[in-house]
Amino acid sequence: MKKQNIKLNNVYIKSTFSSVGSKEGEGPLSNYFDAKYTDELMGQDSWEKAESTLMKNTVSGALTKAGMTPNELSILFAGDLLNQCTASSYGLKAFDVPFFGLYGACSTFVEGMSLASIAIDGGHTPNAAIVTSSHFCSSQKQYRFPLEYGEVRTPSSQWTVTGSGCAVLSCQKSKIKVNGVTVGKIVDLGVTDANNMGAAMAPAAADTIFTHLCETNTSPEDYDCIVTGDLAVVGTDLMLELMNQKKIDLKKKHLDCGSLIYNRDEQNVDAGGSGCGCVASVFSGFFAKKLENKEIKKMLLVGTGALMSPSSVLLGEPIAGIAHAIELEASDS
Amino acid sequence: MKKQNIKLNNVYIKSTFSSVGSKEGEGPLSNYFDAKYTDELMGQDSWEKAESTLMKNTVSGALTKAGMTPNELSILFAGDLLNQCTASSYGLKAFDVPFFGLYGACSTFVEGMSLASIAIDGGHTPNAAIVTSSHFCSSQKQYRFPLEYGEVRTPSSQWTVTGSGCAVLSCQKSKIKVNGVTVGKIVDLGVTDANNMGAAMAPAAADTIFTHLCETNTSPEDYDCIVTGDLAVVGTDLMLELMNQKKIDLKKKHLDCGSLIYNRDEQNVDAGGSGCGCVASVFSGFFAKKLENKEIKKMLLVGTGALMSPSSVLLGEPIAGIAHAIELEASDS
């Protein structure tokens, strides 16, 4: 039978770095982020350039923590939510490194970790970095309404995280080992509400988590936590229900980056956070540190993406989802 | 020194399939394309759905030629030019296979071949397919003007190819061997004219070709041809000039898919063809057949992409380019 899981033997996370905006910096994970910006424009004159700057600074931070110069980086994988992924291409061109652009919506960070891990494990590159970003203001401008319009949000809507995360992977042993990846399929259960991304991504998350557990012959009890990217509260409930239908109780082990990053009672984010920068900043800021200090010994990180565009929604197309998973373990080396 | 070239030992092209629209079907390569559509809507009710249909049928064609069912395909890499790559996600979801979405503008086809080759060579997957597409009408609608407007084109502008190409790669020996890939960097020489993509991509193409020749210790004479994606005539002249400055005469060996696909004297395409479907359909339709029957013994295929969006152009950002190269050889097996 065709397998979606790919086992890896020689891949480690050398460093991670996370950057967030002011709202994220005031949230429950505040102390874990490496860089917190209070100026949403990051000193630039457009939201797009602000997002590029955020991404660039995040890669610089991760390289510094890894003790590397850009010249030592072999491949950079990157992606974002802007049309034609311009936050990545404009933000990262100055590094002058071999570059692969990705688009997996909010699953892109884990997609990049998967492809980087495959290249490192096969001995084709000694190291690689992954970076993704999102910015609330550039996303609102592109996907929804001008900020000045004062959009009334629906309770199922999610707040796009202003944030970026970068991970540097390497074949050299370090504190976090990559055990394997499970490559997701596009899953479409017919959700058409562009204000309910969590619902669109939940079936893909459930499909990938179930496949990962089956193919690796593991159960939720084998992990300290199974972490999704940005299902937020509506998507989380749906995903847990779908897993229940498969006779798997994930509730005690499940965490969601989109639910963790904000205080929903106080921060007016409706269902929670989303965006390419959500799982990237929360993993790079929070979970990587927990793995490094062994508060978490083994986890499954599941990047979740909603595959749609404003045009596809206007054409009445359903919003398909995709989820890629990466299994990570605290390492003694 | 960090290398951009990655040598590969166990990767072969099992099959390719190309599909094009009516204008391309009337061009000089007409007899080489596997499928030619005369209805630009491909039976759908929107240009976006037409492009998705084109992509889906192209993958089906490649799988049929490879003697495979979708269930035997281990990973599908895909990308296109529509915002959020929706031609890919909507067109390909029905295959229900592990999926990686890419964005490298018109370099995406060679980017996908590179990543698929790395995964196969490392033993992480037995096979993988790559598909990219573009559609003149969906591109005009998104990037330029409504078709009804009757845009006056500049002489340096390129005609977006309505086409798609798919390659199925495998570890099993077959008639075309993948010798290696050279991963490109983002190169920006400050071109700001969105009607002159060839000029924006030429520096990246020159950079990647020069790096490939240096790192593999080869010269143009070692190849039957060095083929770029869609520099068209303006970009080709610039690329050849940049190579001349590096003391390399590429003129006798160079071909460009954007120049080959149309008859410029008769087909009103200005500088030539472009788009994610250009290199994909011309390689899959024309060059793959030449390699299979050994009319070409060794070639370098260089996918070239212009990294920009309509927003980035409005913001006054220069258009950066990227080019990835893959070295292919006719094989006896």
Side-chain angles (χ1 to χ4, degrees):
Chain A
M1 206 195 76
K2 179 173 62 187
K3 282 189 72 178
Q4 290 172 244
N5 179 259
I6 296 172
K7 276 200 164 53
L8 300 163
N9 297 309
N10 301 304
V11 188
Y12 297 83
I13 299 180
K14 198 175 171 78
S15 75
T16 62
F17 195 89
S18 57
S19 307
V20 295
S22 56
K23 195 180 185 91
E24 296 73 22
E26 291 162 5
L29 303 182
S30 180
N31 292 335
Y32 291 94
F33 296 122
D34 298 291
K36 288 175 272 188
Y37 291 81
T38 50
D39 169 20
E40 302 294 310
L41 273 168
M42 283 113 194
Q44 304 297 312
D45 60 6
S46 73
W47 304 125
E48 292 82 0
K49 290 182 191 171
E51 188 174 342
S52 286
T53 303
L54 182 71
M55 227 174 184
K56 183 181 176 180
N57 293 351
T58 304
V59 174
S60 292
L63 289 175
T64 302
K65 277 175 79 175
M68 290 166 67
T69 63
N71 195 40
E72 294 172 285
L73 181 62
S74 292
I75 305 180
L76 178 57
F77 291 87
D80 60 88
L81 298 177
L82 295 186
N83 293 341
Q84 286 71 53
C85 301
T86 46
S88 302
S89 45
Y90 289 99
L92 306 173
K93 63 185 175 186
F95 289 109
D96 192 33
V97 293
F99 179 86
F100 282 129
L102 307 177
Y103 185 77
C106 305
S107 74
T108 306
F109 186 71
V110 178
E111 178 187 1
M113 290 181 87
S114 303
L115 288 165
S117 296
I118 288 168
I120 291 167
D121 194 62
H124 296 100
T125 181
N127 63 57
I130 306 96
V131 63
T132 64
S133 70
S134 52
H135 192 299
F136 177 76
C137 303
S138 63
S139 276
Q140 283 297 107
K141 175 177 163 183
Q142 177 177 289
Y143 286 100
R144 301 178 196 100
F145 298 101
L147 293 179
E148 295 80 358
Y149 175 78
E151 175 198 11
V152 176
R153 294 161 52 87
T154 69
S156 62
S157 69
Q158 294 175 230
W159 190 277
T160 305
V161 165
T162 297
S164 176
C166 177
V168 178
L169 273 56
S170 158
C171 58
Q172 291 181 324
K173 285 194 179 182
S174 51
K175 288 183 178 172
I176 307 173
K177 186 176 186 300
V178 181
N179 287 338
V181 301
T182 295
V183 187
K185 299 174 174 181
I186 303 172
V187 179
D188 177 10
L189 292 194
V191 174
T192 54
D193 180 0
N195 288 308
N196 196 350
M197 293 293 179
M201 297 186 282
D207 189 72
T208 298
I209 295 169
F210 183 73
T211 301
H212 182 86
L213 296 176
C214 291
E215 293 191 2
T216 58
N217 198 24
T218 55
S219 70
E221 287 64 44
D222 294 313
Y223 301 86
D224 293 317
C225 52
I226 293 178
V227 179
T228 48
D230 48 354
L231 297 181
V233 294
V234 177
T236 291
D237 285 348
L238 291 167
M239 187 276 290
L240 293 175
E241 175 59 28
L242 289 166
M243 292 303 287
N244 274 336
Q245 290 174 13
K246 296 172 195 281
K247 314 283 183 211
I248 292 176
D249 181 7
L250 215 61
K251 199 165 181 181
K252 287 179 200 152
K253 297 290 184 176
H254 177 255
L255 293 169
D256 181 72
C257 299
S259 304
L260 291 169
I261 193 167
Y262 299 118
N263 182 331
R264 285 182 60 238
D265 293 334
E266 295 174 6
Q267 291 194 289
N268 189 30
V269 295
D270 297 300
S274 69
C276 264
C278 181
V279 65
S281 63
V282 173
F283 172 74
S284 302
F286 180 72
F287 287 106
K289 293 184 178 73
K290 296 280 179 192
L291 283 161
E292 281 171 2
N293 67 19
K294 300 202 180 175
E295 283 180 65
I296 293 173
K297 293 211 178 70
K298 190 174 178 180
M299 69 178 279
L300 189 68
L301 181 70
V302 187
T304 48
L307 300 173
M308 50 73 73
S309 75
S311 300
S312 73
V313 171
L314 288 174
L315 290 167
E317 291 279 326
I319 302 169
I322 192 159
H324 301 294
I326 188 161
E327 190 184 304
L328 303 165
E329 194 163 9
S331 165
D332 280 321
S333 40
Chain B
M1 205 194 79
K2 178 173 64 187
K3 284 189 71 178
Q4 290 172 244
N5 179 259
I6 296 172
K7 278 201 162 53
L8 301 162
N9 297 308
N10 301 302
V11 187
Y12 297 84
I13 299 180
K14 199 176 170 79
S15 75
T16 61
F17 194 90
S18 57
S19 307
V20 295
S22 56
K23 193 179 186 91
E24 297 73 22
E26 291 162 5
L29 303 183
S30 180
N31 292 337
Y32 291 93
F33 296 120
D34 299 289
K36 288 175 271 189
Y37 291 81
T38 49
D39 168 19
E40 301 295 309
L41 274 169
M42 284 110 195
Q44 303 298 312
D45 60 6
S46 73
W47 304 124
E48 291 82 359
K49 290 182 191 172
E51 188 174 342
S52 286
T53 302
L54 183 70
M55 227 175 186
K56 183 181 176 180
N57 293 351
T58 304
V59 175
S60 292
L63 289 175
T64 301
K65 277 175 82 175
M68 290 166 68
T69 62
N71 194 40
E72 294 172 283
L73 180 61
S74 292
I75 304 181
L76 178 56
F77 291 86
D80 60 88
L81 298 177
L82 295 186
N83 293 341
Q84 286 72 54
C85 301
T86 46
S88 302
S89 46
Y90 288 100
L92 306 172
K93 63 186 176 185
F95 290 109
D96 192 32
V97 293
F99 180 85
F100 282 129
L102 306 177
Y103 184 77
C106 305
S107 74
T108 307
F109 186 69
V110 179
E111 178 188 359
M113 289 181 88
S114 304
L115 288 166
S117 296
I118 289 168
I120 292 167
D121 195 63
H124 296 102
T125 181
N127 63 57
I130 306 94
V131 63
T132 64
S133 70
S134 52
H135 192 300
F136 177 75
C137 303
S138 63
S139 276
Q140 283 297 108
K141 176 177 162 184
Q142 178 177 288
Y143 285 100
R144 300 177 197 101
F145 298 100
L147 292 178
E148 295 80 356
Y149 175 78
E151 174 198 11
V152 176
R153 294 161 51 86
T154 70
S156 62
S157 68
Q158 295 175 230
W159 190 276
T160 306
V161 166
T162 297
S164 177
C166 178
V168 178
L169 273 57
S170 157
C171 58
Q172 291 181 325
K173 285 194 178 182
S174 52
K175 288 183 179 171
I176 307 173
K177 184 175 186 303
V178 180
N179 287 339
V181 300
T182 294
V183 188
K185 298 174 175 182
I186 302 173
V187 179
D188 177 11
L189 291 195
V191 174
T192 54
D193 181 359
N195 289 308
N196 195 350
M197 294 294 178
M201 297 186 284
D207 188 73
T208 297
I209 294 168
F210 183 73
T211 301
H212 182 86
L213 297 176
C214 291
E215 293 191 4
T216 58
N217 197 21
T218 56
S219 70
E221 287 63 43
D222 295 312
Y223 302 85
D224 293 316
C225 51
I226 293 178
V227 180
T228 48
D230 49 355
L231 297 182
V233 293
V234 177
T236 291
D237 285 348
L238 291 168
M239 187 276 291
L240 292 176
E241 175 60 28
L242 287 167
M243 292 302 286
N244 275 336
Q245 290 175 12
K246 296 172 195 282
K247 313 285 181 210
I248 293 176
D249 181 8
L250 215 61
K251 199 166 182 181
K252 287 179 198 149
K253 297 290 183 173
H254 177 254
L255 293 168
D256 181 72
C257 298
S259 304
L260 292 169
I261 192 166
Y262 299 118
N263 182 330
R264 284 182 60 238
D265 294 335
E266 295 173 6
Q267 290 193 289
N268 188 31
V269 296
D270 298 298
S274 68
C276 264
C278 182
V279 65
S281 64
V282 173
F283 172 75
S284 302
F286 180 70
F287 288 105
K289 292 182 178 73
K290 296 280 177 192
L291 282 161
E292 281 170 1
N293 68 19
K294 299 200 181 177
E295 284 181 65
I296 293 174
K297 292 211 179 67
K298 190 175 178 179
M299 69 178 280
L300 189 67
L301 181 69
V302 187
T304 47
L307 301 172
M308 50 71 74
S309 75
S311 300
S312 72
V313 172
L314 289 174
L315 289 167
E317 292 279 327
I319 301 169
I322 192 160
H324 301 295
I326 188 161
E327 189 184 305
L328 302 164
E329 193 161 11
S331 165
D332 281 322
S333 39

